[in-house]
Amino acid sequence: MNARSVRGAVAVAATLCALAGVAACNVQSDSDTAADPSGSASSAPQAKDLKVGWSTIYLTPSWMQQTLKMLQADVDKLKSSGKVSAFETFNANGDTSQQIAQIRAMIQQKYDVILVDAGSSTALNPALEQAVAAGITVVAFDSLPTSTKVIRVGTDQKAWGAMMATWLAKKLDGKGSVIAMNGPAGVAVSEDRWSGAEAVFKKYPDIKIVSNVHSEYNLAPAAQAFASAYSAHSDIDGVFSQGGALSAAALQTLVKQDKKLVPITGENYNGFLKLWQTKQKEGFSSIATAQPNYLSVIALEAAIAKREGASVPQDITVPLPEITDDNLAQYAKPDQPDDSYPIGDISQSEIDKLIGK
Amino acid sequence: MRERALAAARGNTDLLALAVLLLVLLIAYQHYDSSLLTPASITILSAQFLPLILAAAGQTTVMLTGGIDLSLGAVLALAMAVFATYDAQGAGGVITAAVLALLVAVGAGAVNGTLVAYAGLPPIVVTLAASFLWGGVTLVVLPQPGGTVPGGLVDAYNNGWNGVALPAVAVAVVLVGWKLLRTTRHGLALYAVGGNEHGAYASGLHTRGVKISGYALAGVFTGLAGIGLAVQTGSADPTIGAPYTLNSIAAAVLGGISFFGGVGRMRGTVLGALVIGLLTNLLLFTGISPFYQLVAQGVILVVALALKTYLTREAAV
Amino acid sequence: MALLSVEKVSKSFAGNRVLADVSFEVGRGEVLALVGENGAGKSTVLSLITGLLTPDSGRVVFDGAPVARAWSPHRARAAGIGSVHQELSLNPHQSVAENVFLGSWPSRRGLVRARDLAARAEPLLARVGLDVDPRTPAGRLPLGRQQLVELAKALAGDPRLLILDEATSALDEDQVAAVFRVVRELREQGGAAIFVSHRMAELFAISDRLTVLKDGAVTATRAREDTDHDDVVRLMVGRELSDLFPPKAPPPSGEDSPEPLLRVRGLTVPRACSGIDLDLVPGRITGLGGLQGQGQREVLRALFGLARHAGDLALDGRPVRLASPRDAIRHRIAYVPEDRKIEGVHTVRSVRDNLVLPSMRQLAPARRLTTVSRGEEAALVEELIGRLRVKAASPAQEVRRLSGGNQQKVALAKWLPTGPRVLLLAEPTRGIDIGTKREIYHLLRRLADDGLAVLVTSGDTMELVGLCDEVAVLYEGTVVDRLGGPELTEERLVRASVMGTTSDADGTGSVVRA
């Protein structure tokens, strides 16, 4: 055996090993993809053995993990009733092109239902519309694409911004200087929430946005961004924040520097809720809303209903919960980690109402 | 004839190994998706891979000069934004939009190249800084996802035009164009500067000009990648480019392009990009849990690179 | 009128004056030798002519016209100045033909065709006596042949003035002869050449006049007939040539030949050498001679564990395996490689860092939690710098800022604290000025006297004859002759190298090993 053929053998063996490794991983996954072919027949009156896939732009953040848990619970329920036979999660890990590939793969693998949490509001449209054209029921939730051919389950992000801004403006009696904490530039959610808020602030000419800060929705970068804005404008009367981690970062900074706890708008990020609760007696006041994790459940139920022939509305806007100084205790969970998003379950009747059953 | 084929194979051990890997991936793919070799599948897949292939071609051009481009993703997004924001009406409009996008990308590349050539700073530093610059400019052009691309074009690109897979044609054009370029003085100069910059200078080459034109040429490829992505997605998204920077480097390195410049072929890069694209797709089919997919992808890439090094090491002595 | 005249040029780097009012001329049909120790300013003045540098004052006049301020390699080449430098300017990844026409590839309708390129390169390669496929990547060729490709590349510009800066340092005698042929052709056609070499014999063989530089100034220009080796060396260094080499070790007395420290039997390195037998004896300097690329380099690399090899090796009579440099270092074998900038020293690190690197274990013992003792380090560095007379501004100076000779001293010095018993040196004085050469010769002899076994390869016949106690001559990878004592003369060494046979007294010659 000469060196060349040895090398060739090594090459082949290594490739096989790599593929064997892939196959081994396969065993660990919990999928049972043996779908009954009859299940893929479209618009059967009773949904049976549906193959469901969820493509998400991220899976690591705790919000996504909670969403997955809730979704999985609903899937288990549907599996026991025989409506769903297989469920797969695809994580694009921030790469939108990868998400397109995932959707294409699901089309080729003849999924019945595609759920999607979109990484781009526009880039997925052709792929999603292709899926719809292939007879697949496509439901987007949370971060939505602009396509009108898919069912979209979301909250009104502009209303989110408006809710926060209205509360803050009233709290400040319509005048004062405010630091705005927004998400990363160019991200649709962030831009939407801000445009909703901006429209409200326009009605209060005496409220001045002294600094508009952009930051990742993460505690550490947000704390840095806020600290530098605050050092330039330490005389502010309030903080408009459009995300829980951003709010927590702002509040922590004020607490740490022992400054006046001006009103800060928030989200159901537990780290913020806990701090809010402890500082309530020092006069700190806030409002928070939530991007409810049960969006995913509504999305799945909407897809099933659609397969069963119900006339599901194209756009399902889930009302935003309102967390105030009065009902804070129901939400804040002192025994749970900061990085969680406490939210109650949604009742089946509410779901049915939303999806038009 | 056989002799010549053997000789060609000997000179291309690494490319051959890569081709074998690709073949193995294709066979595995066929196992999961029996429609792989139908025109529809080929069109869909080539549409999906084109942006990465073109981005990797751009990265290759820069790496051949001995540089590296960390701003590639940002420039790609910029070209995409320019292309989709220009409200294109009809064929003329599309061409205008494409020319504008390409000019912007080439301009960005030339600026990168000029900084590298004249500031005397390492390319990795210059292009890292430039990535923020071009990322910012992109947000000025297009603050949030949007823009439009004529629907007919999107459809023709993604679903085939009279049965022709346009993206596959684009890749063929790039390969032929590169082959021609390699036989021009500019192409030879690119390789010469990358292989031994001082020697090229001492031999009378205008090395700075060669570098600048290399980065500008990379801009052409990156711009085309941006246009391709815009057509694929029917719109533009200012934040979509980032993953292309590292993926393009991975594809180029897998394809045999040296980090030190002067070594490598475009065919290798195209193969490398195909391997990366197919691999990620294949892992989706296998039903591995999402986090294991990343692990598997990393393992396979490392194994492929290690193998490539092993297979070509003795040939180099 | 002269083809080239250099008129009162001066040049400083960072306030350090390297050229002071240097003037000389080269006439048409003339070969000028530029002589001087390393650091005398030869390369700098040549760089002014080839456009790599511009002078601070004075001017360069070529073909009657002063060269422009914006002189560049590109313009110099276009004007008819071709140059070959010691440092290769080839791109190892491109083909020989592509290198020959580097920067001015002939194209037809914008396209450069490989076949066309090869056909045009053939005659140029033939002119420099190179028989290689023009499509081979240049990096695959041995150093000497690459140097000839450089020459072909210079000829491709059809030069009227050819500058050869240490262009023969990596060449064997046949190859040198090919270079001389090219230079003579050029001279006959009315062109001119400037020739720089450390090999005195070559200077006298080819030049018409010699200009001697010392410390950045011209000390004298002499016609060849009016001078000799000793005169030139005196002008360069103000010292006689006679004490260049130290006295040799006394020959082994009678029957009891000394016990070898490292015994090599049947050493074989695939595609480089086979069946090499060597006995390295403490106190003696052994040389490996022969033409360029006959396997000398691979023998050294094998003995340092850098090249895969077969054969029996015994140290102190016990068999040893040298599979990696770690093995070799553990057995106290030290290696000073040919390409010192790659394997010998870290050019961007300081003199100090280079010198202490092999001694890290001693300087940073476990009891100090492997932290380096700064005091001991400084003492060691000071001792080595003093012992080898390394000329450095300070121990913190980067090695690349040192002259070639001092770099070589650093590459050698760093091994001394490890207490080596066998010292392997490849081309220890290539490209080094004569003063430093002398220092290195004497140092090697002192090390041998201290009980080291030394093995040296060199392309310089005079060096082998002057320095070594015994020389094994390699030809196509096998030892064809061993010369020692009175038999070790330049003539016999050259004959064995060229003929590949023993240099029998009767002159018939017989192949020692098939």
Side-chain angles (χ1 to χ4, degrees):
Chain A
M1 213 167 163
N2 64 19
R4 184 162 300 278
S5 55
V6 170
R7 275 188 269 148
V10 170
V12 172
T15 314
L16 291 178
C17 285
L19 288 170
V22 171
C25 294
N26 199 2
V27 175
Q28 292 176 12
S29 95
D30 60 349
S31 75
D32 40 346
T33 38
D36 184 349
S38 68
S40 49
S42 54
S43 12
Q46 188 67 31
K48 192 163 168 287
D49 286 347
L50 295 175
K51 195 171 161 189
V52 178
W54 175 37
S55 166
T56 178
I57 185 69
Y58 287 112
L59 195 53
T60 34
S62 52
W63 190 88
M64 287 291 180
Q65 290 292 329
Q66 263 173 262
T67 298
L68 176 61
K69 216 183 271 174
M70 254 186 200
L71 189 56
Q72 187 70 50
D74 199 44
V75 164
D76 291 344
K77 206 177 76 195
L78 291 166
K79 267 187 181 170
S80 62
S81 66
K83 291 185 176 178
V84 168
S85 69
F87 173 68
E88 286 288 349
T89 305
F90 299 93
N91 173 18
N93 210 30
D95 185 345
T96 307
S97 300
Q98 169 76 0
Q99 206 170 15
I100 296 172
Q102 291 171 348
I103 291 158
R104 294 256 154 85
M106 284 191 271
I107 298 171
Q108 275 164 306
Q109 289 178 286
K110 306 208 163 34
Y111 274 72
D112 303 300
V113 172
I114 294 178
L115 304 181
V116 63
D117 196 330
S120 162
S121 58
T122 55
L124 299 180
N125 291 348
L128 292 175
E129 285 165 16
Q130 212 170 12
V132 172
I136 299 170
T137 308
V138 180
V139 185
F141 66 90
D142 183 34
S143 173
L144 302 177
T146 53
S147 170
T148 50
K149 295 193 177 148
V150 304
I151 300 172
R152 294 183 293 180
V153 179
T155 49
D156 185 342
Q157 299 301 326
K158 286 189 179 156
W160 177 310
M163 182 201 278
M164 300 289 120
T166 309
W167 178 85
L168 187 62
K170 288 200 173 130
K171 194 86 192 164
L172 301 181
D173 286 333
K175 62 174 190 293
S177 30
V178 165
I179 290 178
M181 295 280 288
N182 283 306
V187 170
V189 173
S190 168
E191 305 285 345
D192 282 349
R193 287 180 187 170
W194 177 240
S195 76
E198 227 178 358
V200 172
F201 286 133
K202 275 218 184 87
K203 289 186 246 161
Y204 297 92
D206 290 336
I207 288 189
K208 277 208 193 66
I209 307 297
V210 290
S211 176
N212 191 344
V213 180
H214 289 276
S215 156
E216 298 283 323
Y217 291 110
N218 266 333
L219 204 51
Q224 274 177 2
F226 179 77
S228 56
Y230 184 66
S231 65
H233 307 282
S234 51
D235 55 346
I236 47 161
D237 305 298
V239 176
F240 167 84
S241 157
Q242 53 141 283
L246 308 178
S247 314
L251 182 52
Q252 275 179 6
T253 308
L254 293 187
V255 169
K256 239 184 280 172
Q257 298 187 1
D258 209 13
K259 293 285 162 54
K260 187 179 167 228
L261 301 181
V262 298
I264 300 171
T265 63
E267 192 191 352
N268 68 331
Y269 173 74
N270 201 29
F272 176 71
L273 298 183
K274 286 191 321 199
L275 200 54
W276 175 7
Q277 203 168 30
T278 51
K279 294 294 165 190
Q280 216 167 8
K281 41 190 176 301
E282 292 171 34
F284 176 68
S285 176
S286 178
I287 188 174
T289 182
Q291 182 76 342
N293 299 102
Y294 49 69
L295 288 177
S296 59
V297 175
I298 299 171
L300 179 58
E301 293 288 339
I304 304 290
K306 171 104 182 178
R307 300 297 296 193
E308 291 179 337
S311 68
V312 177
Q314 207 66 35
D315 280 298
I316 300 171
T317 305
V318 177
L320 288 165
E322 199 164 329
I323 307 171
T324 60
D325 289 322
D326 303 325
N327 69 359
L328 174 62
Q330 292 170 33
Y331 286 89
K333 297 275 183 288
D335 53 331
Q336 279 179 19
D338 283 3
D339 195 17
S340 61
Y341 295 83
I343 191 102
D345 280 331
I346 185 168
S347 70
Q348 190 64 42
S349 59
E350 275 176 90
I351 295 178
D352 289 346
K353 206 168 80 194
L354 282 166
I355 65 179
K357 231 176 172 174
Chain B
M1 193 60 215
R2 187 161 176 272
E3 292 270 307
R4 201 185 293 176
L6 275 178
R10 245 194 300 281
N12 292 308
T13 325
D14 52 338
L15 287 192
L16 212 61
L18 205 56
V20 170
L21 178 62
L22 189 62
L23 197 69
V24 171
L25 288 178
L26 281 172
I27 291 169
Y29 204 107
Q30 174 84 17
H31 169 74
Y32 285 105
D33 177 12
S34 51
S35 70
L36 173 65
L37 293 175
T38 60
S41 273
I42 291 173
T43 308
I44 287 174
L45 286 179
S46 61
Q48 186 198 326
F49 296 157
L50 182 70
L52 177 60
I53 292 175
L54 291 172
Q59 191 65 258
T60 299
T61 313
V62 171
M63 284 173 72
L64 282 175
T65 68
I68 193 157
D69 188 358
L70 295 186
S71 70
L72 186 141
V75 176
L76 187 152
L78 177 57
M80 187 187 191
V82 169
F83 181 74
T85 339
Y86 184 87
D87 192 16
Q89 304 290 343
V94 170
I95 290 170
T96 315
V99 168
L100 271 177
L102 279 180
L103 281 179
V104 169
V106 169
V111 170
N112 285 351
T114 308
L115 288 172
V116 169
Y118 283 93
L121 293 168
I124 195 164
V125 176
V126 170
T127 56
L128 180 65
S131 73
F132 296 107
L133 171 63
W134 304 126
V137 174
T138 309
L139 283 172
V140 171
V141 175
L142 186 71
Q144 52 185 309
T148 52
V149 176
L153 185 60
V154 177
D155 193 52
Y157 177 94
N158 285 307
N159 300 322
W161 175 72
N162 295 335
V164 179
L166 291 179
V169 174
V171 173
V173 168
V174 165
L175 279 178
V176 171
W178 183 261
K179 189 146 181 88
L180 275 179
L181 176 82
R182 268 209 76 170
T183 56
T184 65
R185 292 178 179 206
H186 301 286
L188 286 167
L190 203 67
Y191 277 86
V193 169
N196 182 349
E197 187 180 345
H198 178 79
Y201 177 68
S203 308
L205 272 179
H206 184 40
T207 50
R208 284 173 168 166
V210 172
K211 276 194 182 179
I212 293 171
S213 65
Y215 278 83
L217 176 63
V220 173
F221 289 124
T222 310
L224 285 172
I227 294 171
L229 196 56
V231 177
Q232 188 197 355
T233 60
S235 64
D237 184 328
T239 61
I240 204 171
Y244 282 91
T245 304
L246 288 182
N247 283 342
S248 66
I249 295 173
V253 170
L254 196 59
I257 313 299
S258 162
F259 268 118
F260 305 105
V263 185
R265 297 173 222 206
M266 198 50 88
R267 295 173 247 174
T269 297
V270 171
L271 281 180
L274 283 175
V275 163
I276 287 180
L278 263 184
L279 184 61
T280 41
N281 263 26
L282 182 63
L283 289 171
L284 295 177
F285 281 115
T286 55
I288 303 174
S289 88
F291 296 129
Y292 280 109
Q293 283 187 15
L294 291 174
V295 173
Q297 194 178 345
V299 167
I300 291 177
L301 283 182
V302 169
V303 168
L305 278 176
L307 260 180
K308 205 181 71 62
T309 315
Y310 174 73
L311 290 169
T312 50
R313 187 179 50 191
E314 275 178 278
V317 170
Chain C
M1 188 181 55
L3 179 60
L4 173 88
S5 63
V6 173
E7 298 173 2
K8 285 185 163 294
V9 296
S10 298
K11 181 78 184 171
S12 301
F13 292 117
N16 191 2
R17 201 170 168 90
V18 290
L19 287 181
D21 291 334
V22 168
S23 302
F24 60 83
E25 299 194 328
V26 190
R28 293 184 165 82
E30 186 185 45
V31 176
L32 177 78
L34 208 52
V35 200
E37 287 195 284
N38 267 20
K42 301 184 301 278
S43 290
T44 309
V45 78
L46 294 181
S47 296
L48 298 179
I49 300 170
T50 55
L52 283 167
L53 297 172
T54 49
D56 296 339
S57 64
R59 60 177 196 165
V60 176
V61 180
F62 183 67
D63 203 12
V67 305
R69 271 281 128 189
W71 197 232
S72 71
H74 183 74
R75 293 187 180 200
R77 203 173 146 99
I81 298 177
S83 59
V84 180
H85 294 278
Q86 183 186 4
E87 270 179 38
L88 293 175
S89 70
L90 298 183
N91 177 359
H93 310 297
Q94 283 181 313
S95 76
V96 167
E98 280 167 350
N99 269 293
V100 165
F101 295 105
L102 197 105
S104 52
W105 297 282
S107 61
R108 216 187 293 157
R109 285 192 226 101
L111 295 185
V112 183
R113 283 161 222 281
R115 195 179 303 162
D116 206 30
L117 212 55
R120 283 168 185 251
E122 295 273 10
L124 289 166
L125 295 174
R127 249 176 97 186
V128 301
L130 255 187
D131 179 27
V132 295
D133 182 350
R135 293 172 206 202
T136 325
R140 294 252 177 96
L141 300 181
L143 207 53
R145 296 184 144 211
Q146 291 192 28
Q147 198 70 270
L148 290 180
V149 174
E150 289 274 358
L151 180 59
K153 183 173 132 191
L155 294 179
D158 205 10
R160 286 178 290 160
L161 174 67
L162 187 60
I163 293 173
L164 301 171
D165 181 9
E166 289 292 351
T168 55
S169 63
L171 303 187
D172 65 36
E173 322 220 341
D174 276 351
Q175 291 170 332
V176 171
V179 174
F180 283 3
R181 202 168 54 238
V182 168
V183 171
R184 291 198 181 101
E185 275 169 22
L186 186 67
R187 178 162 58 186
E188 278 155 25
Q189 291 157 7
I194 300 178
F195 189 83
V196 173
S197 171
H198 278 108
R199 296 185 188 157
M200 197 65 76
E202 288 177 2
L203 297 175
F204 277 84
I206 191 70
S207 64
D208 302 306
R209 286 190 303 145
L210 298 95
T211 291
V212 183
L213 281 175
K214 184 173 189 293
D215 297 335
V218 174
T219 50
T221 297
R222 306 251 161 116
R224 183 182 51 181
E225 305 82 58
D226 303 340
T227 184
D228 59 24
H229 290 203
D230 288 343
D231 182 37
V232 170
V233 171
R234 241 192 333 271
L235 288 168
M236 281 164 64
V237 298
R239 179 165 61 231
E240 297 288 337
L241 183 62
S242 54
D243 66 343
L244 182 59
F245 294 106
K248 297 192 181 192
S253 51
E255 298 294 299
D256 55 303
S257 57
E259 198 55 36
L261 179 62
L262 181 64
R263 175 190 286 268
V264 179
R265 287 292 174 270
L267 180 74
T268 298
V269 177
R271 278 175 296 175
C273 63
S274 63
I276 306 280
D277 295 349
L278 285 173
D279 287 328
L280 301 187
V281 180
R284 292 174 70 82
I285 300 177
T286 310
L288 286 177
L291 300 174
Q292 193 73 31
Q294 302 299 310
Q296 298 97 319
R297 177 168 168 266
E298 293 305 315
V299 171
L300 257 60
R301 287 171 54 87
L303 293 182
F304 194 62
L306 280 168
R308 251 184 266 170
H309 57 270
D312 299 322
L313 307 176
L315 196 70
D316 286 329
R318 277 192 294 275
V320 288
R321 219 172 69 89
L322 300 173
S324 72
R326 277 182 77 90
D327 287 349
I329 292 168
R330 199 156 39 84
H331 289 111
R332 291 161 67 191
I333 298 174
Y335 172 55
V336 182
E338 175 177 352
D339 202 336
R340 58 180 166 261
K341 282 183 187 162
I342 294 171
E343 291 178 317
V345 288
H346 292 271
T347 52
V348 296
R349 306 298 303 276
S350 67
V351 171
R352 180 197 302 124
D353 289 352
N354 271 283
L355 287 176
V356 301
L357 195 58
S359 314
M360 271 300 151
R361 241 165 222 290
Q362 294 91 298
L363 289 176
R367 65 182 155 77
R368 285 185 52 94
L369 301 174
T370 72
T371 56
V372 174
S373 158
R374 294 290 160 202
E376 282 179 42
E377 182 186 74
L380 179 76
V381 168
E382 196 180 336
E383 187 222 315
L384 290 174
I385 288 179
R387 189 161 154 203
L388 274 81
R389 284 181 233 138
V390 177
K391 281 188 203 116
S394 86
Q397 192 172 24
E398 285 177 27
V399 165
R400 67 190 163 106
R401 308 233 178 260
L402 302 183
S403 71
N406 281 301
Q407 288 183 8
Q408 184 71 333
K409 285 185 188 172
V410 170
L412 177 58
K414 67 176 191 175
W415 292 111
L416 299 184
T418 66
R421 303 174 67 202
V422 179
L423 191 56
L424 311 170
L425 300 110
E427 303 288 349
T429 65
R430 169 180 299 164
I432 289 177
D433 64 86
I434 201 150
T436 312
K437 268 187 184 179
R438 182 183 165 280
E439 282 183 47
I440 287 180
Y441 295 147
H442 283 259
L443 174 72
L444 292 179
R445 179 53 69 188
R446 277 203 306 279
L447 290 171
D449 289 345
D450 291 346
L452 268 74
V454 183
L455 180 64
V456 178
T457 70
S458 176
D460 184 344
T461 316
M462 187 175 78
E463 176 169 299
L464 286 175
V465 170
L467 177 68
C468 299
D469 300 308
E470 192 201 34
V471 174
V473 184
L474 269 68
Y475 188 83
E476 293 188 349
T478 60
V479 176
V480 292
D481 202 0
R482 290 171 202 276
L483 303 167
E487 289 182 325
L488 181 53
T489 64
E490 282 196 48
E491 192 203 336
R492 297 192 65 165
L493 183 54
V494 168
R495 192 187 304 165
S497 306
V498 178
M499 315 285 284
T501 61
T502 54
S503 47
D504 288 339
D506 58 14
T508 53
S510 68
V511 177
V512 167
R513 242 174 265 275

